[in-house]
Amino acid sequence: MIGSLADRLSIKPEVAAALRAGGPVVALESTLISHGLPYPANVEVARASEAAVREAGAVPATIAIHDGRLLVGLDDAELEALATAPADSVLKASRPSLSAALTRDGWSATTVSATMIAAHAAGITVFATGGIGGVHMGALGGPGALEPPTFDISSDLEELARTPMVVVCAGPKAILDVPATLEVLETRGVPLVAVGQADLPGFTARSSGVPAPWSVPDVAAAAGLAVAHLALGLGGAIVICVPVPADVALPDEIARRVAEQAAREADAAGIHGPALTPWLLARIAAITDGASVRANTALIVNDALVAGQIAVRLARG
Ligand code: PSU
Ligand code: MN
């Protein structure tokens, strides 16, 4: 029997109990585990993110798909199974591939869009990821860009526009055309807020080199804005961008140069579609000799901590 989204949810008892009690819960995505980071960094970051959410006083719910069920909350054996499954056996599930993911056996990992869909269906309002997807370099053509334009724009952006949620990240991924990504979010009515600085955080770099549309001094102010955004009932998400911890950040210029190099190489190698982002992240890890992986893992855990702090403030009302 094909059921609705609600029929497909398997919510872990600890998560269900927290939601029933109106307690703080943070959704965590799983594509960064299966496709974003190498083993064992991927499972270590998954565990450390859950621990960071708990440290803040909230309950973590890592979301993934297994044998036709949308799992909201994974136990440690499930995290390990997802992290060690051969990468090509795990489907990267976004909104457009969600029905396919739910009608096949085995593991699918959820991207930002699919995680938001599942979290929203479960009643979770706060979500942490590493870097949101967006407009890929060369997606829209223009001077110096790839010809012809690829139109590769992440379904993350559409989801952010339609699903009410607080999304904590370290900015759009550095592999993207960040100014174009900001323009799409602006058009689609999604507020992007930098915490503690005027510049938009640049994923593995402290700054993307672009001013943030809005900024707040600290996490408490970010939580206040998030409460207001959700209360207005505008319908879409608010994106809270927290810079990567300074001790592991890639220098801004290097992050940008390496991203451009990797994007050119991907184009030359004919890499397109959902495979592109994982390919770019792996290529940048190689070019930077692992420095990007250290930054990526630290920023993911930091985002989880901040999301936990925001969830606690939201739950207090
Ligand atoms: N953040 C990371 N690593 C990742 C991602 C986010 O630090 O791998 C994932 C998210 O799941 C996001 C996806 O939704 O990358 C974007 O993929 P695409 O560009 O194909 O939409
Ligand atoms: Mn894409």
Side-chain angles (χ1 to χ4, degrees):
M1 235 288 281
I2 306 292
S4 70
L5 206 57
D7 298 330
R8 296 285 186 157
L9 294 177
S10 291
I11 306 181
K12 196 175 162 195
E14 182 198 13
V15 174
L19 289 169
R20 267 195 309 275
V25 176
V26 173
L28 300 168
E29 59 129 317
S30 48
T31 295
L32 59 84
I33 303 173
S34 61
H35 292 74
L37 289 165
Y39 183 83
N42 60 353
V43 70
E44 286 163 10
V45 82
R47 290 193 180 113
S49 297
E50 294 212 344
V53 169
R54 289 188 196 282
E55 187 188 321
V59 174
T62 302
I63 292 178
I65 294 168
H66 189 243
D67 287 350
R69 305 290 306 166
L70 258 171
L71 309 184
V72 179
L74 301 186
D75 62 28
D76 199 65
E78 289 168 329
L79 279 184
E80 183 74 29
L82 177 64
T84 53
D88 54 6
S89 73
V90 181
L91 182 79
K92 178 181 163 187
S94 300
R95 178 179 280 270
S97 42
L98 194 52
S99 46
L102 283 168
T103 48
R104 77 196 272 277
D105 285 336
W107 285 104
S108 297
T110 52
T111 62
V112 167
S113 66
T115 306
M116 288 177 72
I117 292 168
H120 185 61
I124 301 172
T125 49
V126 182
F127 162 45
T129 181
I132 55 168
V135 180
H136 276 281
M137 291 179 191
L140 303 177
L146 307 177
E147 290 295 340
T150 64
F151 292 102
D152 189 346
I153 301 175
S154 176
S155 55
D156 289 5
L157 299 186
E158 285 298 311
E159 203 59 45
L160 291 167
R162 67 196 287 175
T163 301
M165 194 157 290
V166 182
V167 178
V168 181
C169 68
K173 278 196 272 289
I175 56 173
L176 300 169
D177 180 339
V178 174
T181 300
L182 286 197
E183 292 298 345
V184 172
L185 289 173
E186 159 94 8
T187 301
R188 303 291 280 112
V190 180
L192 214 57
V193 184
V195 178
Q197 63 184 38
D199 272 8
L200 185 70
F203 187 54
T204 48
R206 297 278 290 178
S207 168
S208 63
V210 178
W214 196 252
S215 73
V216 292
D218 53 27
V219 173
L225 203 54
V227 168
H229 177 82
L230 293 177
L232 286 169
L234 296 171
I238 180 169
V239 184
I240 308 294
C241 303
V242 191
V244 58
D247 58 332
V248 291
L250 297 186
D252 302 347
E253 254 318 300
I254 292 191
R256 267 194 291 282
R257 206 170 336 121
V258 168
E260 281 162 18
Q261 179 190 336
R264 278 194 303 273
E265 290 179 3
D267 185 54
I271 312 292
H272 296 294
L276 177 60
T277 292
W279 193 95
L280 290 170
L281 294 175
R283 182 68 193 120
I284 289 169
I287 299 172
T288 62
D289 200 18
S292 69
V293 173
R294 287 188 287 282
N296 201 353
T297 54
L299 70 85
I300 290 166
V301 177
N302 190 50
D303 293 344
L305 178 68
V306 170
Q309 293 165 343
I310 291 176
V312 166
R313 286 174 182 269
L314 259 62
R316 282 195 198 125

